[in-house]
Amino acid sequence: MQVLSVTPEIFPLIKTGGLADVTGALPIALAGKGVAMRTLVPGYPVVMAAFAKKKPVYQYPLLQGGKAAIHAVKIGDLDLFVLDAPHLFDRQGGPYGTASGADWPDNWRRFAALSQAGGDIAGGAISGYQPDIVHAHDWQSAMTLAYMRYGKAVGVPSLITVHNLAFQGQFGAAIFGELGLPGVAMQLDGVEYYGGVGFLKAGLQAAWAITTVSPTYAQEIRSPEFGMGLDGLINMRASDLYGIVNGIDVDIWNPQTDKHLVANYSAETLPARAKNRKAVEERFGLEADGSPIVCVISRLTWQKGMDILAAVVDGIVAAGARLAILGSGDAGLEGTLLAAAARHRGRVGVVVGYDEGLSHTMQGGCDAIIIPSRFEPCGLTQLYGLRYGCVPVVARTGGLADTIIDANEAALSAGVATGFQFAPNNGGAMLHAIQRLVEVHARPAVWASIQRQGMKADVSWDKSAEKYVELYRLLLSKRAA
């Protein structure tokens, strides 16, 4: 089965968040299950630098304002199509904006070009390659399905995975004339959205199937609270909606072999985590005592619930826990957390920024990780925590609710608890969860049982990949019918 994946990010080449982890790991997980996935990605400088041979398999005299070409390359275990369009992607900064953080004003054009290329490939533009299915990810590639719907690939099955419904790619109606779509597409059941053009909306409308990255999030986005204005459309497509929880790359995230750790360990050698714990204490200036270290590895944003956390730091310290915080984002939140660290020297430590190696060390040395997101389509951080015996403390939402078993008395008695959930998502409920954590942490045998149970959880891509294969087969059967 040939599947074309279209994405703005893919690990290890270009990553801003969990989307890249998914699009980088899924092709490898599918390879052993009879699915050959090729991925179309933009030719950002870092991507173009990753391969030497530049012999295009398809060329555009003009694509959204300039010459472009598609290269077929293999980088590591990934089979890629790279859209080489220097006028759109050869820029310094992030994939979506400048180094200062401002969005590129022509993002609509950049990702329309990516999507147009995806639609062309789906329609047989590249000699010798015809995908059986096209799999798009988020708003940046959602228009692929619109180009297929109104082009040569109208009969090719497609699906879109929503990694975060909050980001929709909404643009003014003035851009429509430059998209290269027929006039009929600018209608309510096409790409039109509140008088403008909605990239994600267009993909949700055109896709044969819609997936989210957890079963709970699939249900949440059908409500006005989580639907971000698209709940009406999503409910209309409810029979085509599926929730498939993400996995993680268990070779990269493996405490027994992770080179970022001071000491490697397994579920049978948990005491070895003490050396990583010491490294965390030193890096964050924390007092070395027996109290639990609760870590935060997150973007410091409203969605991630960091304002809720910031408001109860004093209470967390009073409950007997220490805090190690790694992240960046909202300047006000950064300042509030740095002030808390100054107020509680030795009990709270903050590193502003992102450090991949340090994030591994924290998972390997901290006792728990708190994830108080207001909404979380899946979340990968809690899966890393399970894998590393860093017990997750999570808000009961989205994929967090799907992947963590709360350490209530029944779960503790049965020996199945893997973390702590709290709801509603407010400071009081969060503090209660931390208090429960501190109490259980004081019972070493019970705490070790929770760690080991989490480390036993299957957080790999294997089961999730099987579900994607089942969905692909279902879509092919619909095509045959």
Side-chain angles (χ1 to χ4, degrees):
M1 189 190 307
Q2 298 288 333
V3 178
L4 172 67
S5 173
V6 187
T7 176
E9 302 178 27
I10 189 166
F11 181 86
L13 295 174
I14 182 76
K15 171 181 173 177
T16 66
L19 166 64
D21 290 317
V22 173
T23 56
L26 185 56
I28 298 168
L30 291 170
K33 302 181 185 299
V35 176
M37 179 174 275
R38 298 199 73 159
T39 305
L40 172 65
V41 294
Y44 308 115
V46 67
V47 175
M48 297 304 297
F51 64 100
K53 190 176 180 181
K54 306 289 196 293
K55 186 176 180 181
V57 294
Y58 191 80
Q59 297 188 66
Y60 290 94
L62 186 67
L63 178 67
Q64 288 298 333
K67 291 183 179 180
I70 298 172
H71 302 276
V73 299
K74 188 173 179 66
I75 299 176
D77 294 323
L78 299 171
D79 285 309
L80 304 177
F81 288 124
V82 178
L83 178 59
D84 181 14
H87 62 294
L88 300 174
F89 301 116
D90 187 10
R91 304 176 182 182
Q92 297 304 309
Y96 314 123
T98 65
S100 63
D103 285 351
W104 298 115
D106 61 345
N107 271 345
W108 67 269
R109 189 183 297 279
R110 300 170 75 227
F111 295 107
L114 176 69
S115 296
Q116 190 172 337
D120 290 340
I121 296 172
I126 295 177
S127 177
Y129 180 76
Q130 175 59 58
D132 299 302
I133 291 172
V134 174
H135 188 162
H137 297 267
D138 273 356
W139 76 263
Q140 296 93 333
S141 59
M143 286 288 283
T144 299
L145 310 190
Y147 283 108
M148 291 171 62
R149 178 184 177 188
Y150 297 105
K152 295 180 180 179
V154 63
V156 178
S158 63
L159 72 153
I160 185 167
T161 295
V162 178
H163 297 263
N164 192 334
L165 196 67
F167 302 102
Q168 300 182 4
Q170 294 177 244
F171 304 98
I175 74 166
F176 179 77
E178 298 188 61
L179 294 177
L181 290 168
V184 69
M186 192 58 177
Q187 295 183 0
L188 182 60
D189 71 343
V191 306
E192 188 274 335
Y193 187 51
Y194 289 106
V197 175
F199 278 36
L200 181 60
K201 183 265 184 181
L204 294 173
Q205 193 83 52
W208 289 35
I210 299 165
T211 69
T212 70
V213 288
S214 73
T216 294
Y217 192 60
Q219 295 306 308
E220 287 177 339
I221 62 174
R222 297 181 63 184
S223 70
E225 181 183 359
F226 293 96
M228 305 291 176
L230 287 167
D231 47 289
L233 172 57
I234 291 165
N235 277 301
M236 189 179 73
R237 301 295 316 275
S239 62
D240 303 311
L241 178 64
Y242 304 84
I244 302 176
V245 73
N246 283 338
I248 63 173
D249 189 324
V250 293
D251 292 325
I252 292 174
W253 290 93
N254 184 350
Q256 297 183 66
T257 59
D258 192 334
K259 294 180 181 179
H260 295 298
L261 301 183
V262 176
N264 295 113
Y265 61 93
S266 67
E268 288 70 45
T269 58
L270 285 173
R273 294 181 90 250
K275 291 182 179 179
N276 300 316
R277 179 191 183 93
K278 183 179 180 182
V280 171
E281 289 170 340
E282 291 175 352
R283 180 69 179 84
F284 287 88
L286 299 177
E287 296 170 355
D289 62 18
S291 63
I293 302 176
V294 179
C295 69
V296 173
I297 305 170
S298 177
R299 297 194 306 276
L300 304 180
T301 64
W302 179 89
Q303 181 211 323
K304 297 296 183 180
M306 288 297 114
D307 56 319
I308 302 172
L309 175 85
V312 296
V313 168
D314 295 350
I316 292 173
V317 172
R322 293 173 288 167
L323 271 175
I325 300 170
L326 171 65
S328 62
D330 182 270
L333 283 172
E334 290 178 4
T336 299
L337 292 170
L338 287 167
R343 196 164 63 246
H344 297 288
R345 294 192 184 279
R347 307 304 298 175
V348 178
V350 176
V351 172
V352 174
Y354 185 72
D355 183 322
E356 183 78 13
L358 180 57
S359 74
H360 284 243
T361 304
M362 292 168 74
Q363 295 276 16
C366 294
D367 299 286
I369 181 164
I370 187 163
I371 308 165
S373 303
R374 282 186 166 86
F375 61 94
E376 193 62 70
C378 177
L380 298 177
T381 311
Q382 83 278 13
L383 304 182
Y384 303 147
L386 290 174
R387 181 85 166 135
Y388 279 59
C390 185
V391 176
V393 184
V394 303
R396 192 176 298 143
T397 187
L400 303 176
D402 289 329
T403 54
I404 303 303
I405 301 173
D406 182 65
N408 55 51
E409 285 304 320
L412 288 173
S413 298
V416 297
T418 60
F420 298 84
Q421 291 189 9
F422 62 90
N425 193 357
N426 59 36
M430 184 191 299
L431 276 179
H432 180 60
I434 295 293
Q435 289 162 354
R436 288 199 292 143
L437 178 155
V438 172
E439 291 170 3
V440 176
H441 185 265
R443 301 154 63 189
V446 178
W447 186 261
S449 172
I450 296 174
Q451 290 178 293
R452 293 192 182 99
Q453 191 66 25
M455 294 176 79
K456 279 168 43 181
D458 183 1
V459 294
S460 74
W461 267 104
D462 191 59
K463 288 182 181 178
S464 300
E466 286 284 0
K467 291 183 178 180
Y468 276 112
V469 173
E470 290 173 12
L471 182 53
Y472 294 155
R473 287 175 179 156
L474 175 64
L475 295 182
L476 285 176
S477 70
K478 288 184 178 181
R479 180 183 190 179

